Every structure is written in C-alpha cells, then in structure tokens.
Amino acid sequence: MELVGEGKRLGAAALPGLPAHVARPGYDRSALRCGIVHLGLGAFARAHLAAVNDAALRAGAGPDWGICGVSLRQADTRDALAPQDGLYTLALRDADGGGAPRQRLAVIGCLRETLVAPEQPVAVLERIAAADTRIVSLTVTEKGYCHDPASGRLDLAHPDIAHDLAHPESPRSVIGFLAYGLQRRRAAGRAPLTVMSLDNLPANGRLLRALVLTFAARVDAGLAEWIASGCAFPCSMVDRIVPRTTDADRRDTAATLGVRDAWPVMAEPYLEWVVEDDFAAGRPDWTAGGARFVADAAPFETLKLRMVNGAHSALAYLSVMAGWATVDEAMAQPGMRRFLSELMRQEIEPTLPPLPGLDLAQYRHGLLQRFANPALRHQARQIAMDGSQKLPQRLLGTVRDRLAAQAPIPGLALAVAGWLYFLRGSDQAGRAYEIQDPMAEALARQHAQAEMAARQAGEGPAAMLAWAGAMAGLEPVFGDLGQDPRFVQALAQAAQSLRSLGVAGTLSAGYPPPPG
Ligand code: CS2
C-alpha cells in the first residue's frame, strides 16, 4: 500500500475545507460512545454497516451508537485510520446513462476507535465486556467461523480453536473473542447483548450462536447457559459489492478531496440489508440508511446467497481460467450474460422460497446490471478466494434442491466444474496463480488424485467421469453429494466441455443447452 503523496491528511480538522459535494458526518462525533464493537474491520464493513450506521446518526440516532472497529489480523487499517481520527471516504461508483463513470463521495464519521486484536487482545475482550457495548457485529468472511462448511459444526481441530481453548487471555479466533469477552461481561455483572453476523452464510446468526455455545460450553457450562438465555443472534442478509481498494483509488480520492486519505473504500451504490429485529440491548434505527427489519431473514438470505453470490462465484472461476480479470470485463464476453441469466432463471430461481412482492425477473436483470458496472473493476481473483468455504451455500444447496426435485443441473454443474478446473492452479494460457483457500493443501491433493484417476481411466468420457467422481469425493465441501451419480455425471459433462472447448468456447456454444 502506498501512502499517496505529500500534503494535508483527512481528519477532523480537514472536514470544513472539503469540496461542498462531499457528504460529511454533520453530527457531534466527540459525543459518540461505542455502542457497537465490530470484529473484522475490512472494506465491506466500512462500506456497509458503517455507512448505514452513519446515516442513522445523521438522522438523529443519538450518541450511543459509535463503532469500535477491531482488526483481527493486521494493523494496517488502524495505522491508516487512527491518524485520520477514524475518518475515511466512501466512494460510490457506477456509470451514467451514457456509460461514463461517476462517483459520489461521503466521509464516514461513526468509527470512533480502532483496535488490533493480536496487539491488544485484552482490550478487545474488555470492549466486549464494556458497559457502553450493546451490539457486537462481525464481518470476518466464511473462514472466520472456524466451522466445517458441509456440516456447520465448530471445527475443534482448527488450530485457532485449539489455541483459544488453552489461552483465554489472548484468543485468535472470533469464536474465542466472543466467548471470553462475554465471560468477562457476565463476571462484571453486565447485561447480555446482541451478537450480529453480517457474513454471507445461511442462517448466519443461528450458525454463530451454535458455534459460540459449543465453545463456551467447553469453557464453563454456566457461561453457555447465560449466552443462550440472554444474548440475541439475529440473522441477516447483506448485499453490496465492495472491491478491494487500489493505489489508483487512493490517488483518485485524494485528487477529488484535496486531502490524502490512506484508506478510502469503493463500492457500488446498491445496498441491501435485511436483518431480524431481535436485539437484546437496543439498536439504532438503521432504516435511515436503507436497512429493513424483518421477523425472518431466511428467504432473503437464500435469495441473495444463491442468486448474487452463486452467480458471482460461477463467473469468477470461469473468468480466472479464461484470463478475464474483472467482473465487468467478463460480462462483456459473448455468452457470459446469457449463461448467468439462464443459470438463474432455469436452475436457481425455481429453488427459491416465495418472497411476496419480489419481482424475480427484475431482480435478475438488476443483478446483471450490477455485475456489468464498469466503474468498479472488481477482480475475479478476489471473488475466487476461499471456494471451499463458499460453494456449499452458494451453489451446492441449489444443486441438492434441484436433484431432490429430479430437475436438471447443467448450468450449476458448469459453475462447480469451473471451480474444480480453477483448482489446477494455472489458467488456460498457462499462467500460474496461487489458490487462496484455507483448504488449499487438501484441494491440491484431491486434484492430483483426480488427474491420476482420469489417466488410469483412459480417454474421453470415461476419464472425465473418473476425474469428476474423484473431485466430488471431497467430503468437507460436497458432503454426500459426491455419491450422487447424477451430480458426478453432470460435472463430468461440464468439465469435458471446458477441457475441449475452453471457457470462451463453452459459453459461446450456448452452454448449457436449452431444456428439452
Ligand atoms: C463476493 C461477495 O467476494 C465474494 O465472494 O461474491 O463479496 C459479494 O461481492 C458480496 O457478497 C455482494 O453483496
């Protein structure tokens, strides 16, 4: 990361001098207490939760709802933002009717404190226990939950979990931080609070509750009981595309602001947040920033994970293999838009629970427009990360529902085959890349075994069937799906097409074929 040039830096003193078109806090920041402790202070949280919370504060939510942001691994966010009084810029980018890029800038003010967990683990635990704290929220990505993706159970063999069970003063995992932070809270005689997951996992609140309770029960049965009976774990659906910030984004933001911002965040204007109205110790009125409170978030989560994230992952693996760097570049390739549209229309949409009032065709069109946004430059490689943690809820649940309904899965199989193909570690032009995935080693072993099985099976369809069967045997990801011959057969067919025609050839041939 480069610290963009010389000159004045964004901070409280710079606010009055910013160009008039840049929105700014407009509430009394110095009066803010940290009612929210947020674990995982990445770009997504700063462009989603914090942006919505900022809107609530501007609308008069009051001084209780500042955010203490916690980075779980690196110090870079704190190092960038602390010298700026926690202020940073959010740039919402898209294109106007004529296709010209445009952006709207706002300085977000609700981040009042930043902590770095490995440097100050006790400070983080104390923050969770503090009297002011009423919500602990999380964006730690799928792998941060330390669970087995196929079964949803806490992975007790995970090195961070094993470490945390032995080190109550210096946990590493979010599960450890939550359990020991709540233990301190209980010991201090403070009231239970809300623990709110904002990650792309189905029933994220219920999953998190089960993981925390499993861990807490090993620490102290009374603690587990206190958490189970008093803390709330609302489920939520979150949606906003937030690419990683680049140095070009930093330069561009500095040029517009007239001051340097070490870590602005870029996002699309679109935002969805549907959260269950189940809070143990109050909450701000986030509707001011576009949130919706509901009794049951499950249908919204399924819609979002299967349509947005399912299509995103399908596009990402095929694009990496074909050498298309960004999502908008991939969307401009012959066949890609059609493939994603048909994947959603024919295979994903029939599996979705009813959502009264939702026009699915419009949602699908809107989503394809969002992917085509030329101002985001969202890297396919970023989405391709951590596939072992993402595929179950993005694609495999849909596959299961389709198979249970005796329905065909050619598009879903192409998406999954894209991931398996991507795991070979080099694209179609032979350029090597690293597989970033907590299961990278197991995936590489499985891939090598599958290649061997294919060679032993000979040529053509038999070889592809052996290959697909071996890859689908990856139990932590596929569970029992790997035993279903219909799944293995569809995977083999899609993989065969990718191998013989390549990604571009497969898509322009109109894969998957129309039904009937
Ligand atoms: C993406 C998501 O990186 C990924 O895996 O699919 O981060 C996606 O951009 C968001 O979930 C959109 O809400």
Side-chain angles (χ1 to χ4, degrees), residues 67-125:
I67 299 180
C68 165
V70 180
S71 295
L72 290 150
R73 300 269 175 261
Q74 320 273 7
D76 48 3
T77 307
R78 190 266 324 267
D79 293 349
L81 300 187
Q84 301 181 178
D85 306 314
L87 295 170
Y88 63 90
T89 314
L90 171 63
L92 300 183
R93 295 179 162 177
D94 63 358
D96 66 17
R102 60 180 177 187
Q103 62 176 355
R104 220 162 2 105
L105 263 50
V107 172
I108 305 296
C110 59
L111 190 63
R112 290 302 289 148
E113 186 182 24
T114 41
L115 298 176
V116 179
E119 287 178 20
Q120 316 154 269
V122 173
V124 175
L125 296 171

Side-chain angles (χ1 to χ4, degrees), residues 277-318:
D277 202 359
D278 173 21
F279 288 77
R283 57 155 175 87
D285 181 8
W286 286 315
T287 56
R292 279 190 280 167
F293 292 99
V294 298
D296 177 13
F300 299 92
E301 290 178 355
T302 309
L303 168 77
K304 195 267 171 169
L305 287 168
R306 292 189 177 187
M307 294 283 275
V308 181
N309 297 113
H312 234 181
S313 289
L315 174 145
Y317 297 114
L318 296 173

Side-chain angles (χ1 to χ4, degrees), residues 333-354:
Q333 305 299 322
M336 179 61 93
R337 185 181 271 264
R338 175 191 169 278
F339 164 58
L340 294 180
S341 179
E342 292 306 299
L343 171 69
M344 291 192 265
R345 195 173 66 80
Q346 294 187 40
E347 298 181 43
I348 302 177
E349 289 170 27
T351 72
L352 298 176

Side-chain angles (χ1 to χ4, degrees), residues 158-431:
H158 192 294
D160 289 352
I161 297 296
H163 170 274
D164 289 1
L165 283 167
H167 298 90
E169 303 280 318
S170 57
R172 287 182 187 152
S173 73
V174 278
I175 306 299
F177 272 108
L178 285 168
Y180 294 127
L182 292 171
Q183 186 179 35
R184 283 176 190 242
R185 192 171 180 88
R186 178 177 179 235
R190 307 223 161 94
L193 45 61
T194 302
V195 185
M196 181 173 72
S197 166
L198 300 175
D199 281 298
N200 284 316
L201 287 159
N204 51 13
R206 268 190 297 288
L207 172 75
L208 179 59
R209 181 176 189 273
L211 299 172
V212 171
L213 290 180
T214 303
F215 187 99
R218 293 184 168 242
V219 174
D220 168 1
L223 171 66
E225 171 51 33
W226 183 84
I227 296 172
S229 59
C231 290
F233 290 79
C235 294
S236 62
M237 175 270 256
V238 292
D239 195 3
R240 171 168 264 180
I241 296 174
V242 186
R244 194 172 287 141
T245 303
T246 65
D247 286 337
D249 296 330
R250 291 187 173 87
R251 282 193 291 275
D252 186 72
T253 307
T256 313
L257 288 182
V259 293
R260 294 182 295 136
D261 178 349
W263 210 326
V265 286
M266 312 292 127
E268 62 174 342
Y270 183 95
L271 179 136
E272 271 277 11
W273 184 10
V274 180
V275 54
E276 291 174 355
D277 202 359
D278 173 21
F279 288 77
R283 57 155 175 87
D285 181 8
W286 286 315
T287 56
R292 279 190 280 167
F293 292 99
V294 298
D296 177 13
F300 299 92
E301 290 178 355
T302 309
L303 168 77
K304 195 267 171 169
L305 287 168
R306 292 189 177 187
M307 294 283 275
V308 181
N309 297 113
H312 234 181
S313 289
L315 174 145
Y317 297 114
L318 296 173
S319 300
V320 172
M321 293 314 292
W324 306 324
T326 63
V327 176
D328 62 304
E329 185 187 343
M331 287 298 287
Q333 305 299 322
M336 179 61 93
R337 185 181 271 264
R338 175 191 169 278
F339 164 58
L340 294 180
S341 179
E342 292 306 299
L343 171 69
M344 291 192 265
R345 195 173 66 80
Q346 294 187 40
E347 298 181 43
I348 302 177
E349 289 170 27
T351 72
L352 298 176
L355 266 170
L358 177 79
D359 180 339
L360 263 178
Q362 213 178 349
Y363 186 85
R364 180 190 338 122
H365 289 306
L367 180 53
L368 294 169
Q369 281 306 107
R370 291 170 63 199
F371 285 0
N373 185 341
L376 287 179
R377 316 290 303 149
H378 195 189
Q379 300 291 317
R381 289 278 297 280
Q382 186 184 345
I383 304 163
M385 275 172 62
D386 297 343
S388 68
Q389 315 293 301
K390 292 175 173 175
L391 254 65
Q393 60 277 9
R394 293 182 175 208
L395 294 165
L396 303 179
T398 318
V399 168
R400 283 200 172 81
D401 287 354
R402 294 282 293 169
L403 292 177
Q406 309 295 341
I409 54 164
L412 290 159
L414 181 60
V416 178
W419 178 57
L420 300 179
Y421 191 26
F422 159 89
L423 292 178
R424 72 181 196 174
S426 61
D427 70 11
Q428 289 177 169
R431 285 176 296 233

